[in-house]
Amino acid sequence: MIKEKMLSAINRQINAELYSAYLYLSMNAYLNSINLKGFADWMRVQALEEMAHADKFYKYIIERGGRVILEAIDSPPAGWDSALAVFEHVYEHEQKVTKLINTLMDIAIKEKDHATISFLRWFVDEQVEEESSADGILQKLKLIGDSGSGLFMIDSELGQRVFTPPAPAKE
Ligand code: FEO
């Protein structure tokens, strides 16, 4: 049975992951509205990944005999100034999520909750990838500056991304 402190922290993380999905769906809507369809498709896959993250935490609570409590999800922003502004926001947001995951790990270590420590390792690794992919796209956008053809090329590249559901976490 999972301890109360760990349980409520993971419940808060479900909300944070669902907010991330909401934020990325809002970015998808904005990117579609400025006809960057490849960027929009990439962001949709990103939103699906966040839902899968929320689902991993959700299932984990149930597996540990805890009770999932769902809270209201905040409204995300509805508009940005450019694709560059969107990716500055994605990178900043993922850095915040990394801090949240690290805080969860700190709680698990303090509580000597070995199952949760093991479960969270997947998320620690995932955040390295999340930050790296957001930063990689951000750097490309900075590099191309105002180049329309550069933006078109990145848009085509990002449109190739497909959603792969994450493998179940090992406990
Ligand atoms: Fe669920 Fe983008 O981290």
Side-chain angles (χ1 to χ4, degrees):
M1 183 85 169
I2 193 162
K3 284 191 195 154
E4 190 52 42
K5 193 171 181 196
M6 195 75 253
L7 174 64
S8 54
I10 298 178
N11 264 317
R12 281 197 300 277
Q13 190 63 28
I14 292 177
N15 187 276
E17 299 292 345
L18 290 174
Y19 174 77
S20 299
Y22 226 35
L23 174 65
Y24 295 148
L25 276 179
S26 186
M27 288 174 172
N28 165 279
Y30 165 72
L31 292 163
N32 266 311
S33 78
I34 58 168
N35 293 311
L36 289 175
K37 302 291 180 189
F39 278 91
D41 288 349
W42 187 96
M43 204 58 80
R44 189 165 188 284
V45 172
Q46 188 69 12
L48 291 173
E49 278 200 357
E50 300 302 348
M51 287 182 218
H53 293 170
D55 189 49
K56 256 181 188 291
F57 283 111
Y58 186 103
K59 285 181 183 151
Y60 180 71
I61 287 181
I62 291 171
E63 272 179 343
R64 295 289 311 279
R67 175 78 163 89
V68 170
I69 301 288
L70 297 174
E71 303 281 352
I73 303 165
D74 290 341
S75 299
W80 290 263
D81 289 337
S82 60
L84 177 66
V86 167
F87 274 86
E88 277 169 343
H89 193 163
V90 174
Y91 184 47
E92 181 193 311
H93 183 71
E94 287 301 333
Q95 287 175 300
K96 275 191 204 156
V97 176
T98 299
K99 282 194 185 136
L100 294 177
I101 298 292
N102 289 343
T103 302
L104 282 180
M105 185 62 109
D106 290 343
I107 297 170
I109 291 167
K110 204 164 166 227
E111 296 287 313
K112 296 190 170 65
D113 182 342
H114 292 259
T116 303
I117 292 169
S118 175
F119 169 77
L120 287 172
R121 280 200 187 105
W122 184 91
F123 284 94
V124 172
D125 295 344
E126 176 71 0
Q127 281 313 119
V128 173
E129 216 177 289
E130 291 276 73
E131 283 193 30
S132 162
S133 73
D135 189 39
I137 297 165
L138 178 58
Q139 295 312 319
K140 276 187 194 166
L141 284 168
K142 283 184 178 166
L143 204 65
I144 61 157
D146 292 331
S147 159
S149 59
L151 196 60
F152 179 77
M153 274 174 64
I154 301 176
D155 191 60
S156 305
E157 187 192 318
L158 295 187
Q160 308 297 314
R161 187 181 185 191
V162 288
F163 175 61
T164 319
K170 282 197 191 120
E171 280 183 61

